[in-house]
């Protein structure tokens, strides 16, 4: 059975069991501060499990894109080493929200596996929770009794809390689970070793394929368990593992989920899969990682240096270095796999087709960038090796290796491999210590302590009224304390209704205050959305939590933010008009002070195009277009009507549409009532973010007024400084620039003449020291002149060691040039020496063995540096 048929069979089966079939949510999570990526099939449904909101459907099934790079069995550095763990994977799941429970979940799972997929019953084992005395949890005899109706009792195994009690996190819904394992070993292997003994033992052919989680508890902050008000079912079956079983192979990578990619890697690299273990691992790593990176980019997450973007960059760089090291690929090639992936999975996941060019270009640019970093790292590592050997050392300091890894992104395993090839060692203990220290700093900086919610009153659903009102009488429904190292103690408040907009969709949250009847005022410093509810952040709690309060949004901030959000929609429309319909929004940030808009476009936007875009937006503002809003549209109807939906966004069954003239988008943010309220729009900058992604930063409303006022003030200051009565000071400035350029040329000629005179004197001053022509001098020449002078002398003298100290005010520089024959014959290294000598001028530097420079802030130390250089020679 082909993988596409396996997926569809699962969905059809649960559709026959009255489940609503839903599309996979985006893999990248945007409005949940606790997660970067969907790492389990249940993540998109957290708010239902938490009881914050109710699902429109009490039975759901889907195939959810997931990404894991940490946690049980999923350490990134292990993916590809074995044949059944992945970073990106599909999770086939069926869900019950307060409807059916263990009996139906178990019966249907068994029916699907054995009667529909026709997996041999004698290959299957199941586990149940054995109980845990420390938690006062009994053995799950209910699940055991249901299972024994279908499978022999000796194939129902007890599992401990680690394997058979599933938890969403340190807090939240949890419960016992039943895992279904399959044994696909040969008959001979099965006869030799009982499969039951290999369950949950990380055997590559005895693997878990399905986990049935029975949500019935809520884990509290103090570790205790409370019964949930309703019981839920959360199941997850690994699609890739199921394909392995159904297609009769012994590795996930031998299924048609991966073989098209592997064949393409073989073609591109010339390395055959199945020949050597290390090359096989490299091919598996690349096949796995290109999927994870491609789906992430399609869902709106570009590689970057922080957060979720850093995770994606780290995954891609791991694939690049495996290709670099073991497949000898020194040029970009992983991007070439995107076409194969799009053809293979584009029907099930259309975003791969629609975003293919973006994915391809981003991966190619990332490959080029990291390969350049590898080249630079190789030079730095070679310098470390030369320096170590010059000191008769056979080991590279762990701290230096960590700096190479942390600052330049140079993989530590590649460092270790190169050192072994050169007969040297890596101080692994020192590296591990430096790595652990960094992780501890990172952990401490991001550590958060969250208490349980204290419920004051029960409200079915929190109501957002902020589209219509900025002030409301509210009551606090619940609150909790959150402590971080960065912000200290904060409190999160949830109201029964709120006019405050919680940060989402690129728009920042509202600020304002909460006031009681007695005049007790609490300032709301930010508003977030978490698991479907609006959370208000304060530094203090009200004195009387059960009082009635007036919630007041900061009107000025809301107006400025709404103005920028409306301007963002008009900007999107303008870019598509001016640049073409290929332009798509790839991210935005709407604040009260400014807006930022990322969009797909494969070349720099010209000044003329930017002016045309700006003019287009301001023309729409002058047209005074009224807001046309529909808060109860369906997604299908809105898109069919022409509303723009953004890739990577999760939309519900009911959507809100915003229309200003021909600008028509799905949007949950706040907007002005009329484009005239935006007043004016001004683009401040345009530039590249990544391959095929450009960014515009702009302002509107009050910020434009402030900008024009400041520009007018600067204009008057310039006229005053120029003492010019002309209406256009540009003419006077141009004249000054011409005069300045002329004076610079004169100074350069004078310096050149001075350096020419100095060259003869320096050559004549050379001292013979151990076969070296040693020259040391101090000058006030600029850096360019010093460099030119050094190379001119080097061309005229053999066996040269020249050091020049120069000072400019409080700055000092040292320049060393050494004849190339001396570098080899006497093992001299300008880079190493200048770093040591730089200490005299309270600075540092580096360079090549032949030529290097250092800078510092102590000109008085130059003389000592020159004397020390002489001692070195």
């Amino acid at each position: 059975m082909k993988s596409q048929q396996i997926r569809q069979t699962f969905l059809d089966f649960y559709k026959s069991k009255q489940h609503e079939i839903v599309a996979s949510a985006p893999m990248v999570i945007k409005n949940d501060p606790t997660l970067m990526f969907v790492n389990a099939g249940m993540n998109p449904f957290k708010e239902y499990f938490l009881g914050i909101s109710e699902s429109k459907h009490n039975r759901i099934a889907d195939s959810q894109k997931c990404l894991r790079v940490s946690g049980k069995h999923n350490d990134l550095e292990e993916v590809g080493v074995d044949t059944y763990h992945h970073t990106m994977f599909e999770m086939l799941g069926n869900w019950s929200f307060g409807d059916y429970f263990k009996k139906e979940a178990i019966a249907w799972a068994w029916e699907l596996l054995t009667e529909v997929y026709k997996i041999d019953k004698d290959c299957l084992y199941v586990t149940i929770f054995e109980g845990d005395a420390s938690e006062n949890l009994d053995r799950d005899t209910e699940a055991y009794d249901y299972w024994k109706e279908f499978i022999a009792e000796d194939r129902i195994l007890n599992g401990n809390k680690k394997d058979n009690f599933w938890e969403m996190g340190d807090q939240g819904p949890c419960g016992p689970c039943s895992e279904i394992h399959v044994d696909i070993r040969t008959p001979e292997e099965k006869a030799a070793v009982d499969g039951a003994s290999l369950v949950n033992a990380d055997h590559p052919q005895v693997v878990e394929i399905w986990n049935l989680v029975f949500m019935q508890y809520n884990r509290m902050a103090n570790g205790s368990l409370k019964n949930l008000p309703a019981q839920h079912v959360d199941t997850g079956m690994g699609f890739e593992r199921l394909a392995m079983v159904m297609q009769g192979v012994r590795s996930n990578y031998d299924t048609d989920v991966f073989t098209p990619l592997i064949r393409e890697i073989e073609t591109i690299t010339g390395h055959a899969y199945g020949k050597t273990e290390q090359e096989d691992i490299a091919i598996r790593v690349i096949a796995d990682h290109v999927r994870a990176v491609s789906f992430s980019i399609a869902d709106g997450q570009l590689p970057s240096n922080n957060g979720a973007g850093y995770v994606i960059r780290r995954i891609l760089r791991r694939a690049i270095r495996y290709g670099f090291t073991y497949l000898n690929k020194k040029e970009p090639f992983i991007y070439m796999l995107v076409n194969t992936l799009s053809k293979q999975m584009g029907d099930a996941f259309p975003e791969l087709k629609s975003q293919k060019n973006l994915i391809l270009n981003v991966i190619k640019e990332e490959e080029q960038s990291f390969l350049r970093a590898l080249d630079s790292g190789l030079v730095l590592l070679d310098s470390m090796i030369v320096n170590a050997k010059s000191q008769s050392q056979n080991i590279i300091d762990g701290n230096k290796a960590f700096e190479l890894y942390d600052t330049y992104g140079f993989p530590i395993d590649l460092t270790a491999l190169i050192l072994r090839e050169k007969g040297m060692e890596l101080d692994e203990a020192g590296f591990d210590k430096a790595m652990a220290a960094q992780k501890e700093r990172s952990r401490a900086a991001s550590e958060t302590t969250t208490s349980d919610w204290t419920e004051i009153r029960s409200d079915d659903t929190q109501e957002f009224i902020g589209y219509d009102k900025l002030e409301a009488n509210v009551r606090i429904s619940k609150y909790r304390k959150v402590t971080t190292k960065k912000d200290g103690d904060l409190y999160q408040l949830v109201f029964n209704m709120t006019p405050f907009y919680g940060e989402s969709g690129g728009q920042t949250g509202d600020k304002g205050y909460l006031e009681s009847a007695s005049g007790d005022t609490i300032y709301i410093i930010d508003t977030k959305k978490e698991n479907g509810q609006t959370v208000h952040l304060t530094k203090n709690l009200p004195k009387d939590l059960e009082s009635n309060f007036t919630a007041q949004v900061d009107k000025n901030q809301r107006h400025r933010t709404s103005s920028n959000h409306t301007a963002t929609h008009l900007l999107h429309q303008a870019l598509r008009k001016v640049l073409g319909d290929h332009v798509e929004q790839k991210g935005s940030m709407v604040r009260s002070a400014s807006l930022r808009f990322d969009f797909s476009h494969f070349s720099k936007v010209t000044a003329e195009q930017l002016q045309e875009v700006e003019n287009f937006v301001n023309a729409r503002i002058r047209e005074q277009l009224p807001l046309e809003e529909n808060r109860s549209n369906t997604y299908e109807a809105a898109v069919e009507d022409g509303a723009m939906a953004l890739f990577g966004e999760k939309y519900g069954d009911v959507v809100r549409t915003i229309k200003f003239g021909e600008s028509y988008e799905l949007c949950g943010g706040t907007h002005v009532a009329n484009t005239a309220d935006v007043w004016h729009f001004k683009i401040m900058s345009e530039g590249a973010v990544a391959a095929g992604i450009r960014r515009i930063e702009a302002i509107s409303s009050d910020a434009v007024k402030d900008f024009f006022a400041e520009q007018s003030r600067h204009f008057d200051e310039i006229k005053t400084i120029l003492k010019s009565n002309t209406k256009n000071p540009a003419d006077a400035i141009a004249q000054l620039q011409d005069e300045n350029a002329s004076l610079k040329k004169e100074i350069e000629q004078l310096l050149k003449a001075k350096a020419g005179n100095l060259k003869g004197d320096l050559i004549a001053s050379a001292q013979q020291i151990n076969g070296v022509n040693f020259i040391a001098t101090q000058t006030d020449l600029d850096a360019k002149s010093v460099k030119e002078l050094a190379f001119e002398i080097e061309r005229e003298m053999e066996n040269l060691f020249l050091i020049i100290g120069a000072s400019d005010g409080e700055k000092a520089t040292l320049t060393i040039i050494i004849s190339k024959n001396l570098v080899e014959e006497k093992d001299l290294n300008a880079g190493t020496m200048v770093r040591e000598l730089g200490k005299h001028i309270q600075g540092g530097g580096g360079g090549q063995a032949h030529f290097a420079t250092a800078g510092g802030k102590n000109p008085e130390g130059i003389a000592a540096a020159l004397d020390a250089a002489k001692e070195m020679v």
Side-chain angles (χ1 to χ4, degrees):
M1 189 181 284
K2 298 291 186 182
S3 57
Q4 292 89 338
Q5 188 180 355
I6 293 171
R7 184 191 297 111
Q8 193 59 49
T9 297
F10 177 89
L11 299 176
D12 289 344
F13 175 82
Y14 277 99
K15 187 174 183 180
S16 73
K17 304 295 184 186
Q18 292 76 53
H19 286 65
E20 180 72 15
I21 308 303
V22 299
S24 171
M27 192 166 68
V28 182
I29 297 178
K30 297 181 178 177
N31 294 324
D32 185 344
T34 65
L35 284 173
M36 293 180 182
F37 301 96
V38 171
N39 63 3
M42 60 77 61
N43 292 157
F45 310 118
K46 278 176 65 175
E47 59 195 83
Y48 306 146
F49 291 119
L50 290 165
I52 293 169
S53 58
E54 290 186 10
S55 172
K56 183 178 178 182
H57 310 283
N58 56 14
R59 297 183 182 186
I60 284 176
D62 67 0
S63 180
Q64 174 63 48
K65 300 174 292 185
C66 301
L67 188 141
R68 292 182 187 173
V69 291
S70 62
K72 178 185 174 185
H73 302 312
N74 287 285
D75 181 68
L76 176 61
E77 296 305 320
E78 296 302 317
V79 173
V81 176
D82 66 29
T83 60
Y84 57 98
H85 288 110
H86 305 289
T87 48
M88 181 265 167
F89 58 95
E90 287 184 64
M91 188 67 84
L92 302 172
N94 57 288
W95 322 89
S96 167
F97 307 114
D99 189 10
Y100 64 84
F101 203 45
K102 297 179 185 180
K103 181 179 180 180
E104 294 85 352
I106 289 170
W108 291 337
W110 188 258
E111 179 185 352
L112 177 61
L113 291 178
T114 62
E115 297 181 25
V116 179
Y117 287 134
K118 299 190 183 303
I119 296 174
D120 186 352
K121 300 175 183 178
D122 293 334
C123 292
L124 298 173
Y125 294 88
V126 299
T127 62
I128 64 158
F129 180 48
E130 66 184 5
D132 189 288
S134 66
E135 297 266 20
N136 198 27
L137 292 170
D138 295 329
R139 181 171 182 260
D140 192 355
T141 55
E142 182 183 6
Y144 180 86
D145 289 339
Y146 289 134
W147 274 121
K148 71 181 183 180
E149 295 179 22
F150 304 105
I151 190 170
E153 293 184 42
D154 62 352
R155 288 177 171 268
I156 307 174
L157 310 175
N158 286 333
N160 59 23
K161 182 182 171 187
K162 174 177 173 288
D163 291 322
N164 281 86
F165 193 87
W166 193 91
E167 305 203 41
M168 188 168 65
D170 293 335
Q171 295 169 243
C174 55
C177 61
S178 274
E179 297 175 340
I180 304 173
H181 296 254
V182 62
D183 183 354
I184 58 172
R185 295 175 301 152
T186 65
E188 294 76 17
E189 290 171 324
K190 291 178 180 178
V193 180
D194 180 26
S197 67
L198 300 176
V199 169
N200 276 328
D202 287 334
H203 192 286
Q205 275 83 51
V206 183
V207 295
E208 172 198 341
I209 58 169
W210 207 346
N211 192 12
L212 315 180
V213 180
F214 310 120
M215 298 273 201
Q216 57 190 98
Y217 302 109
N218 191 21
R219 175 74 69 182
M220 311 307 289
N222 63 5
S224 65
L225 294 171
K226 289 187 177 180
N227 288 322
L228 288 171
Q231 296 177 327
H232 312 292
V233 170
D234 157 22
T235 86
M237 176 154 56
F239 171 67
E240 294 80 8
R241 295 186 185 184
L242 177 62
M244 174 180 69
V245 176
M246 295 296 297
Q247 295 176 7
V249 294
R250 292 165 66 86
S251 160
N252 291 3
Y253 293 92
D254 292 333
T255 68
D256 69 346
V257 178
F258 287 97
T259 50
L261 289 170
I262 290 174
R263 297 291 87 83
E264 188 67 14
I265 294 169
E266 289 178 311
T267 300
I268 294 171
T269 65
H271 291 262
Y273 187 65
K275 296 295 184 182
T276 70
E277 181 182 5
Q278 201 58 62
E279 289 181 5
D280 285 358
I281 290 173
I283 291 171
R284 288 197 293 267
V285 165
I286 294 163
D288 174 276
H289 289 8
V290 72
R291 286 167 25 107
V293 174
S294 296
F295 274 99
S296 297
I297 295 171
D299 279 348
Q301 182 56 65
L302 298 175
S304 66
N305 284 331
N306 50 61
Y310 174 70
V311 174
I312 301 307
R313 176 165 284 167
R314 184 180 169 209
I315 292 172
L316 180 54
R317 287 186 168 186
R318 182 170 185 253
I320 296 168
R321 67 179 165 90
Y322 266 91
F324 181 90
T325 305
Y326 301 110
L327 304 181
N328 199 34
K329 292 300 294 180
K330 312 303 182 189
E331 298 293 331
F333 76 99
I334 294 173
Y335 75 94
M336 299 178 187
L337 303 173
V338 174
N339 281 321
T340 300
L341 180 64
S342 177
K343 289 177 185 176
Q344 177 195 2
M345 301 189 72
D347 289 339
F349 300 99
E351 60 270 27
L352 286 178
K353 288 185 176 179
S354 65
Q355 305 297 302
K356 185 179 73 173
N357 287 336
L358 174 66
I359 298 167
L360 191 148
N361 281 282
V362 169
I363 291 178
K364 184 177 182 181
E365 184 181 82
E366 283 289 313
E367 287 190 86
Q368 291 170 333
S369 175
F370 188 49
L371 287 168
R372 287 194 297 269
L374 287 177
D375 285 338
S376 300
L378 289 170
V379 171
L380 291 168
L381 180 58
D382 189 56
S383 175
M384 289 181 189
I385 292 170
V386 169
N387 186 44
K389 286 183 175 180
S390 70
Q391 300 177 36
S392 301
Q393 295 178 353
N394 199 41
I395 189 167
I396 294 297
D397 179 70
N399 285 314
K400 291 183 177 179
F402 179 75
E403 180 183 350
L404 193 62
Y405 163 82
D406 191 46
T407 305
Y408 301 97
F410 199 78
I412 190 61
D413 57 348
L414 186 55
T415 297
L417 178 67
I418 292 170
L419 292 177
R420 285 197 300 271
E421 290 174 350
K422 294 182 178 291
M424 298 190 71
E425 296 179 24
L426 170 66
D427 171 21
E428 293 186 13
F431 177 86
D432 291 343
K433 184 178 179 181
M435 174 68 87
Q438 186 208 49
K439 286 183 176 180
E440 176 58 27
R441 288 193 298 271
S442 177
R443 185 200 63 76
S446 61
E447 187 174 11
T448 301
T449 302
T450 305
S451 67
D452 291 323
W453 287 106
T454 299
E455 192 169 292
I456 298 175
R457 54 180 54 85
S458 178
D459 285 285
D460 292 335
T461 304
Q462 181 191 55
E463 182 183 1
F464 174 65
I465 58 173
Y467 294 138
D468 305 308
K469 298 180 179 179
L470 298 184
E471 180 180 322
N473 293 321
V474 305
R475 296 174 300 173
I476 298 175
S477 300
K478 57 182 179 179
Y479 71 93
R480 69 181 178 185
K481 183 178 179 181
V482 177
T483 304
T484 66
K485 185 172 183 179
K486 177 184 176 183
D487 299 320
D489 291 343
L490 293 177
Y491 294 91
Q492 295 181 342
L493 311 180
V494 174
F495 308 149
N496 62 322
M497 67 175 69
T498 181
F500 284 78
Y501 181 85
E503 180 179 337
S504 59
Q507 179 176 328
T508 55
D510 284 331
K511 297 180 180 180
Y513 63 86
L514 195 65
E515 186 175 40
S516 69
S518 64
D520 181 20
T521 301
I522 299 295
Y523 290 97
I524 296 172
I525 60 175
D526 202 357
T527 310
K528 304 282 187 181
K529 280 187 181 174
E530 185 174 326
N531 297 320
Q533 65 184 356
T534 301
V535 177
H536 311 78
L537 277 71
T538 69
K539 291 190 175 182
N540 307 100
L541 285 176
K543 294 175 183 176
D544 182 3
L545 290 162
E546 299 192 15
S547 175
N548 289 332
F549 296 91
T550 300
Q552 176 68 61
V553 175
D554 183 324
K555 295 178 181 178
N556 291 330
Q557 187 199 34
R558 167 68 81 83
H559 171 73
R560 291 191 293 265
T561 304
S562 298
S563 173
N564 281 328
H565 204 149
T566 299
T568 299
H569 283 219
L570 299 178
L571 171 61
H572 193 186
Q573 180 192 9
L575 289 168
R576 290 173 65 85
K577 288 281 187 182
V578 174
L579 303 180
D581 289 342
H582 65 280
V583 169
E584 290 181 353
Q585 180 176 334
K586 293 301 174 186
S588 69
M589 174 62 74
V590 179
R591 299 178 286 251
S592 62
S594 63
L595 67 94
R596 188 181 75 205
F597 189 78
D598 296 344
F599 58 98
S600 55
H601 187 59
F602 297 103
S603 62
K604 179 177 174 59
V605 185
T606 66
E608 292 76 15
Q609 289 171 327
L610 286 174
Q611 188 60 59
E612 192 176 347
V613 166
E614 193 174 288
N615 291 343
F616 181 96
V617 174
N618 284 314
R620 305 292 81 74
I621 293 171
R622 288 194 299 273
E623 285 177 12
Q624 302 182 23
L625 300 172
L627 166 65
E628 298 178 51
E629 177 190 25
N630 186 339
R631 299 181 193 173
S632 57
N633 214 338
T634 66
Y635 176 82
E636 292 77 12
V639 172
E640 187 176 341
D641 192 36
M644 289 192 64
L646 304 180
F647 275 103
E649 291 292 336
K650 179 185 176 185
Y651 295 106
D653 298 315
V654 178
V655 297
R656 176 172 175 257
T657 56
I658 296 295
K659 192 173 185 181
F660 290 99
E662 295 181 7
S663 170
Y664 188 24
E665 297 190 25
L666 274 66
C667 180
T670 64
H671 290 271
V672 294
N674 189 292
T675 58
D677 297 331
V678 177
W679 192 75
H680 198 77
F681 172 80
K682 176 69 180 171
I683 294 175
M684 304 302 290
S685 67
E686 187 275 341
V689 178
I693 302 291
R694 310 294 297 181
R695 171 173 292 172
I696 282 178
E697 298 194 15
I699 55 177
S700 73
S701 188
D702 295 344
V704 178
K705 296 175 185 177
D706 294 340
F707 172 79
F708 285 150
E710 186 178 15
Q711 292 298 102
S712 178
R713 181 174 57 80
H714 287 327
F715 184 78
D716 291 339
E717 289 175 353
I718 290 170
K719 289 176 66 176
T720 300
I721 292 170
L722 292 172
K723 298 178 181 178
S724 170
N725 294 321
T726 178
K727 292 182 179 180
N728 185 7
D731 294 336
I733 293 172
Q735 183 180 348
L736 284 174
Q737 287 179 322
D738 290 341
E739 292 174 3
N740 187 48
S742 177
L743 290 171
K744 277 186 175 180
K745 285 183 180 179
E746 289 182 22
I747 292 170
E748 284 179 5
Q749 291 171 352
L750 289 171
L751 288 173
K752 200 167 187 179
K754 183 176 180 180
N757 295 332
L758 183 60
K759 181 179 73 172
D761 294 340
L762 290 177
I763 291 174
S765 71
Q767 302 176 51
Q768 281 282 332
I769 304 175
N770 298 326
V772 174
N773 287 316
F774 177 79
I775 300 175
T777 189
Q778 184 170 351
T779 181
D780 58 359
L781 290 174
D782 67 325
K784 180 182 176 184
S785 299
V786 167
K787 183 177 180 180
E788 290 176 352
L789 175 62
F791 277 98
E792 284 186 18
I793 294 175
E794 191 253 349
R795 282 192 289 271
E796 295 188 21
M797 291 194 73
E798 297 180 349
N799 302 325
L800 174 69
F801 184 107
L802 169 66
I803 178 170
I804 300 175
S807 59
D808 177 15
E810 296 180 356
K811 296 180 180 179
T813 60
L814 298 174
T815 300
I816 297 178
I817 194 165
I818 306 174
S819 296
K820 292 181 180 178
N821 64 302
L822 292 181
V823 171
E824 298 177 4
E825 294 169 10
K826 294 188 175 290
D827 200 21
L828 297 175
N829 187 301
T832 303
M833 298 172 84
V834 84
R835 275 194 293 273
E836 184 64 30
L837 295 172
K839 296 176 182 177
H840 292 283
I841 59 171
Q842 296 179 18
Q848 301 173 344
H850 167 59
F851 177 80
T853 60
K857 56 184 180 181
N858 179 31
E860 294 180 359
I862 291 177
L866 301 183
D867 292 339
K870 186 174 183 179
E871 292 297 320
M872 286 181 173
V873 174

